Amino acid sequence: MKKVTVSAPGKLMVLGEHAVVYNRPCIVTAVDSRIKVTVEQRKDRIVEILAQQINNKPFRRPIYELNNGRDEEIPKEVKFVCKAVESFIKDNTIDGGLTITTESDFSHRYGFGSSSAVTVATLKGLSELYSIGYTERQIFDLAYEVTLDIQGVGSGFDIAAAVYGGTLYFVTGGKRIEKITDKKLPLVVGYTGVKADTPTLVRQVAELKKEKPDLVENIFKNIEELVKMGREYIKEEKWKYLGDLFKVNQKTLYELGVSTTKLDVMCKEAESNGAYGAKLSGAGGGDCMVALVSKEKQKRVEKAIESVGGKIIPVTTSAEGVRIEK
Ligand code: MEV
């Protein structure tokens, strides 16, 4: 039976988290840690999913009962695959069933966007398998709907990174998706060892916005300005200036209450050891920080981050978007 393997990259937020949930822009870069999804036709009407996350114990359901009210039982990654299949078969009639296998280069704990990458790769794989020819924009729109359906919140920046790759200027819901560059950014990534829960942090900021609307609006306005400046500095490769924006953005995220002592200490240590600037990346509350660093200072900054308990995650930025593997 016909079979296709597709891969999609993870992401790192460069500037603009949280504000991007409220109609502001952000900058995101795709990272070359990828999720691979193989979709294969089968004769019966079963969907079988094999995912690392469920220890390779197959998950099986009849194709038209993927979401039959038992959602809570489904492991997270499998949930996104199921919803992506559901969304696909709503628009396209298919004979038989599917075997879907997922493999990941990275731990879902880092906050690199494994759910978005797996959703994008599944939709692209199905489009290929049935020769539908979805455009990048169609895959973005479908995947965004799937993730909103499951998570209820999110700007979609992580889906854009998985679809288009490179480093992007992105506005909420994909109102604007512009490639800034395909060149690598000189980033060092440090993992805190703490898994963050994005929906909880997004709700926490929403609460603060309700309590102190003027303060939060003002913070978002500042973030919007620094994202726009950041886009130009990336184009011009002015890393020192971009590093200054990292510092300002970290301060605003601290004011929003989403940074943690560990993230603050890791950022400070990176800066005291020569980084142009450092900030948390993503929702905050844990996950990763990023430091902008020259080649000469890279080793020293990495050691400094490790010295305060961070784990260095080697990544290459501006990675290629979703692609067919074979
Ligand atoms: C989370 O990685 C980034 C947030 O801005 C949420 C989102 O944009 O979906 C906090």
Side-chain angles (χ1 to χ4, degrees):
M1 307 267 328
K2 211 173 148 197
K3 174 171 161 173
V4 181
T5 299
V6 167
S7 78
K11 57 76 190 164
L12 274 172
M13 181 67 94
V14 180
L15 289 171
E17 44 274 270
H18 287 289
V20 68
V21 177
Y22 299 89
N23 274 317
R24 312 278 175 163
C26 75
I27 296 173
V28 56
T29 191
V31 295
D32 69 346
S33 299
R34 306 183 75 87
I35 291 213
K36 235 195 240 171
V37 174
T38 302
V39 287
E40 187 173 4
Q41 293 171 335
R42 52 192 284 156
K43 287 210 172 74
D44 57 18
R45 298 296 276 159
I46 298 292
V47 173
E48 183 169 275
I49 302 169
L50 287 144
Q52 279 164 334
Q53 212 198 354
I54 50 171
N55 302 325
N56 292 328
K57 196 170 140 256
F59 167 92
R60 305 174 107 242
R61 284 272 166 90
I63 193 157
Y64 288 109
E65 285 177 36
L66 286 173
N67 181 27
N68 59 359
R70 287 180 287 158
D71 262 2
E72 316 70 50
E73 295 166 20
I74 307 179
K76 195 169 164 219
E77 190 177 291
V78 175
K79 220 181 245 188
F80 285 87
V81 175
C82 282
K83 270 264 177 263
V85 173
E86 265 199 316
S87 147
F88 183 81
I89 60 175
K90 213 166 65 195
D91 295 336
N92 306 283
T93 315
I94 66 167
D95 292 330
L98 293 161
T99 301
I100 302 176
T101 312
T102 74
E103 284 167 76
S104 176
D105 283 351
F106 59 89
S107 163
H108 70 282
R109 307 193 69 76
Y110 299 157
F112 281 4
S114 54
S115 308
S116 310
V118 85
T119 307
V120 165
T122 303
L123 285 164
K124 172 77 175 172
L126 291 169
S127 164
E128 244 352 86
L129 194 66
Y130 293 98
S131 308
I132 305 298
Y134 279 153
T135 61
E136 287 176 330
R137 184 69 215 197
Q138 282 173 307
I139 293 177
F140 173 84
D141 288 338
L142 287 170
Y144 186 42
E145 219 177 275
V146 166
T147 53
L148 270 190
D149 225 24
I150 296 175
Q151 289 177 171
V153 290
S155 64
F157 78 105
D158 39 5
I159 295 162
V163 174
Y164 297 89
T167 297
L168 305 172
Y169 178 84
F170 175 89
V171 179
T172 326
K175 286 188 194 80
R176 272 176 83 173
I177 305 176
E178 286 170 21
K179 180 82 57 93
I180 304 175
T181 187
D182 277 319
K183 288 194 193 155
K184 293 173 188 25
L185 311 179
L187 288 182
V188 163
V189 182
Y191 176 54
T192 55
V194 180
K195 175 79 199 113
D197 182 49
T198 299
T200 306
L201 284 142
V202 170
R203 280 185 207 110
Q204 189 184 307
V205 171
E207 280 304 310
L208 183 69
K209 194 165 177 292
K210 242 194 258 160
E211 271 170 44
K212 299 179 178 168
D214 293 347
L215 173 86
V216 174
E217 266 308 313
N218 213 21
I219 291 177
F220 286 171
K221 223 167 86 199
N222 292 340
I223 294 179
E224 176 169 8
E225 287 310 309
L226 66 86
V227 166
K228 286 181 174 162
M229 282 191 265
R231 175 177 54 177
E232 301 314 307
Y233 295 155
I234 291 173
K235 281 185 196 160
E236 294 158 12
E237 302 189 9
K238 289 189 169 156
W239 306 129
K240 190 192 162 321
Y241 292 172
L242 187 66
D244 289 339
L245 296 181
F246 273 35
K247 290 180 188 163
V248 181
N249 199 176
Q250 174 60 17
K251 207 164 150 263
T252 60
L253 290 162
Y254 175 84
E255 285 164 10
L256 280 178
V258 296
S259 195
T260 63
T261 308
K262 181 100 182 238
L263 282 164
D264 289 339
V265 169
M266 285 164 73
C267 291
K268 286 229 166 65
E269 208 52 31
E271 285 166 5
S272 324
N273 281 279
Y276 296 125
K279 61 180 281 291
L280 68 85
S281 172
D287 285 349
C288 291
M289 50 72 74
V290 287
L292 203 60
V293 188
S294 66
K295 253 266 134 310
E296 303 74 58
K297 299 272 170 67
Q298 186 179 333
K299 279 272 155 323
R300 185 168 161 196
V301 169
E302 287 178 353
K303 276 208 181 106
I305 293 171
E306 281 168 346
S307 76
V308 289
K311 179 179 158 152
I312 299 301
I313 314 288
V315 295
T316 306
T317 53
S318 289
E320 196 184 342
V322 66
R323 67 173 182 229
I324 296 156
E325 293 287 329
K326 56 182 152 157

